[in-house]
Amino acid sequence: MLDSNYFHYTAATLHCDEVSLEKLAATFGTPLFVTSRRSLIESCLTFEHAFKELPHFTCYSVKANFNLTVIRTLAELGCGCDVNSGGELYRALQAGVAAEKIIFAGVGKRADEIAYALQSGVLMLKAESLPELRAINQIAGELGKRASVAIRINPNVTAETHPYITTGDSKEKFGVDEAELAELFSLFSEFPNLKLVGLDMHIGSQIFDPEYYVAATTKLLTIFKLSKELGFAIEFLDIGGGFPVTYDPLKPATPIERFAEKLVPMLRSLGVKVIFEPGRYLVANASVLLTRILYKKSNHTGKQFFVVDAGMTELIRPALYQSHHEIQSVKLHEKTVVADVVGPICESSDFFARQRAIPAAEEGELLAVMSSGAYGAVMGSNYNGRLRPAEVMVNGSEVKLVRKRETLEQLVENELF
Ligand code: LLP
């Protein structure tokens, strides 16, 4: 069981803050994402506290959870945003984030997205290749603007995490290779419409060992030194995101303070602002995916299945990365049964747990798939004609619907005969 102050049993019923999940399911239906506003705030304050001695700016990586109210909650605490597409930029602006607190990233930005970012007045665009710098230079020229850019470096550090979420390795598509940087710097004089203001990296996600950050930051600092020697006035060093959270109580995440202990001394006295782009750290444990048990069944091997009304269309992480998410019953059960918890999608990979001890809940009862706040709803889909679920935010005893459940009409509204 995950030890969270925000999702806890009161009177043998799982609550978010002061609100019973039973009640939320009765009011809003299932599947339902339930987010604790207080948990969001606590993660953000813990992060900020850890890095308080460092002149820094935290840009919440909107890709983890782009719900407007989630973005706004973090923005109200002072966060800017890291966005990866025109769509995410639009969301951040709609949430009320000032453009000058938004950084625009992405390995494959289209011309219209570059123009949109420049016209919006974002803090900077992070470029990942020479052709991209050329494109930004040209578009900025056409718009009569000078674009502030950062270069994303590929530090060639292979952080230990799931292979699909490591990004700082030379075999991956991300960033500019170290070996190409000197040439790239020398070409900057050809880009009159660009101002190089930052150096950036992001080595992956859910990284437990601070030493990977140390190794990559060491490389970033060598490049920073070179850039200074070449006369560039770098204002921002962007360390990226990737800070870990606990999904499985048996594998607790390294506390953020351990990362700060290593990074703060390395970055404190450089005369630049350090940017962090945490996504998962801020949101993962703030939400659960609430789902109802439709059927329980077993087969001749004795294997048991709990068939629930949420699936990989709402939370694809177990299917895609074999990720562990704790599963708690809303009604407290002492007894457990070993079972697979599976969704209604016609794919064998549509599961939340396999052969795990699950609370012995009955058909019709509710389960909470824990730690679903990061890369949950945002990676959702309409596969199998599924409707995207509703999302609520809880603050103490207050409940707000922050995303309506999709309707059948919305499923087909963009299609034409
Ligand atoms: N900055 C950049 C440039 C990124 O690509 C990412 C995540 C972040 C920041 C935020 O990383 P975080 O702090 O959330 O680890 N869908 C996967 C994770 C993909 C991460 C993609 N990039 C998952 O569910 O585990």
Side-chain angles (χ1 to χ4, degrees):
M1 193 182 292
L2 269 182
D3 181 23
S4 153
N5 293 329
Y6 303 100
F7 293 95
H8 57 91
Y9 289 97
T10 298
T13 305
L14 192 60
H15 282 61
C16 175
D17 292 358
E18 289 146 37
V19 181
S20 137
L21 296 190
E22 201 76 69
K23 222 172 121 193
L24 288 177
T27 310
F28 299 100
T30 53
L32 180 72
F33 282 100
V34 181
T35 299
S36 159
R37 181 179 153 87
R38 290 178 178 176
S39 169
L40 284 179
I41 293 173
E42 186 186 285
S43 318
C44 185
L45 296 182
T46 307
F47 190 90
E48 290 306 306
H49 185 74
F51 289 104
K52 67 178 187 304
E53 285 170 38
L54 193 64
H56 75 277
F57 175 39
T58 302
C59 284
Y60 165 54
S61 197
V62 161
K63 60 175 70 84
N65 185 328
F66 58 37
N67 179 282
L68 296 184
T69 310
V70 170
I71 299 175
R72 180 170 290 183
T73 303
L74 294 168
E76 281 169 0
L77 298 169
C79 292
C81 288
D82 157 53
V83 301
N84 198 63
S85 66
E88 285 189 355
L89 173 57
Y90 182 73
R91 280 188 166 275
L93 293 170
Q94 289 294 306
V97 182
E100 59 273 16
K101 294 181 94 174
I102 299 176
I103 50 183
F104 194 96
V107 73
K109 303 175 191 72
R110 286 194 316 262
D112 62 299
E113 291 179 303
I114 294 171
Y116 178 33
L118 290 174
Q119 274 162 331
S120 307
V122 297
L123 178 64
M124 61 183 162
L125 288 91
K126 300 194 297 182
E128 304 213 14
S129 68
L130 184 57
E132 191 193 338
L133 283 168
R134 283 205 186 97
I136 300 172
N137 181 61
Q138 188 188 331
I139 295 163
E142 286 161 10
L143 295 173
K145 293 196 183 286
R146 186 138 189 249
S148 291
V149 293
I151 293 175
R152 176 166 175 180
I153 284 134
N154 184 322
N156 195 18
V157 168
T158 312
E160 192 186 327
T161 181
H162 191 281
Y164 288 3
I165 54 176
T166 179
T167 52
D169 185 305
S170 290
K171 67 177 189 302
E172 306 299 343
K173 65 184 173 182
F174 300 103
V176 176
D177 199 273
E178 248 179 306
E180 286 172 31
L181 276 166
E183 191 201 345
L184 195 136
F185 283 144
S186 73
L187 289 174
F188 249 82
S189 54
E190 292 174 23
F191 302 136
N193 309 316
L194 299 186
K195 185 177 177 210
L196 181 62
V197 297
L199 298 172
D200 164 66
M201 66 181 197
H202 171 74
I203 54 174
S205 204
Q206 187 67 350
I207 296 171
F208 273 53
D209 187 347
E211 288 307 324
Y212 292 115
Y213 284 85
V214 171
T217 302
T218 305
K219 293 201 176 180
L220 193 72
L221 292 184
T222 310
I223 296 156
F224 173 55
K225 197 163 158 259
L226 173 70
S227 72
K228 277 214 309 209
E229 285 161 11
L230 294 170
F232 292 102
I234 297 295
E235 299 166 46
F236 302 104
L237 285 183
D238 187 336
I239 304 301
F243 304 102
V245 302
T246 301
Y247 285 103
D248 180 347
L250 297 176
K251 295 180 189 152
T254 317
I256 195 69
E257 292 76 15
R258 300 290 91 76
F259 293 85
E261 275 161 20
K262 297 277 180 180
L263 288 172
V264 172
M266 293 180 82
L267 295 163
R268 190 168 24 204
S269 338
L270 300 172
V272 293
K273 202 166 229 187
V274 172
I275 295 181
F276 294 109
E277 300 172 355
R280 187 191 316 270
Y281 184 86
L282 299 180
V283 295
N285 280 317
S287 310
V288 304
L289 173 59
L290 194 56
T291 182
R292 206 173 276 287
I293 303 169
L294 298 172
Y295 309 107
K296 284 169 69 174
K297 64 178 200 174
S298 53
N299 65 20
H300 75 278
T301 66
K303 189 166 176 180
Q304 301 224 39
F305 296 91
F306 285 48
V307 183
V308 298
D309 69 355
M312 65 192 289
T313 41
E314 288 71 49
L315 181 70
I316 202 174
R317 302 192 71 259
L320 203 53
Y321 318 110
Q322 298 77 48
S323 335
H324 179 98
H325 286 258
E326 286 289 282
I327 294 178
Q328 293 182 207
S329 54
V330 168
K331 190 174 143 203
L332 188 61
H333 289 271
E334 297 302 337
K335 275 207 203 133
T336 60
V337 295
V338 173
D340 283 15
V341 178
V342 299
I345 311 302
C346 54
E347 301 274 345
S348 304
S349 58
D350 180 33
F351 63 88
F352 291 124
R354 277 184 160 158
Q355 292 304 286
R356 204 190 295 166
I358 303 297
E362 295 303 329
E363 287 178 359
E365 281 191 40
L366 296 161
L367 297 179
V369 183
M370 308 305 286
S371 316
S372 297
Y375 308 107
V378 286
M379 292 179 83
S381 80
N382 291 117
Y383 183 45
N384 275 198
R386 302 272 295 169
L387 304 176
R388 284 168 202 270
E391 298 174 30
V392 294
M393 191 177 282
V394 175
N395 181 22
S397 57
E398 212 184 291
V399 180
K400 272 201 183 134
L401 180 65
V402 294
R403 180 174 177 136
K404 293 193 254 182
R405 188 175 304 283
E406 209 167 26
T407 62
L408 288 171
E409 293 72 27
Q410 286 174 315
L411 261 191
V412 295
E413 71 184 356
N414 284 347
E415 288 176 45
L416 311 164
F417 282 113

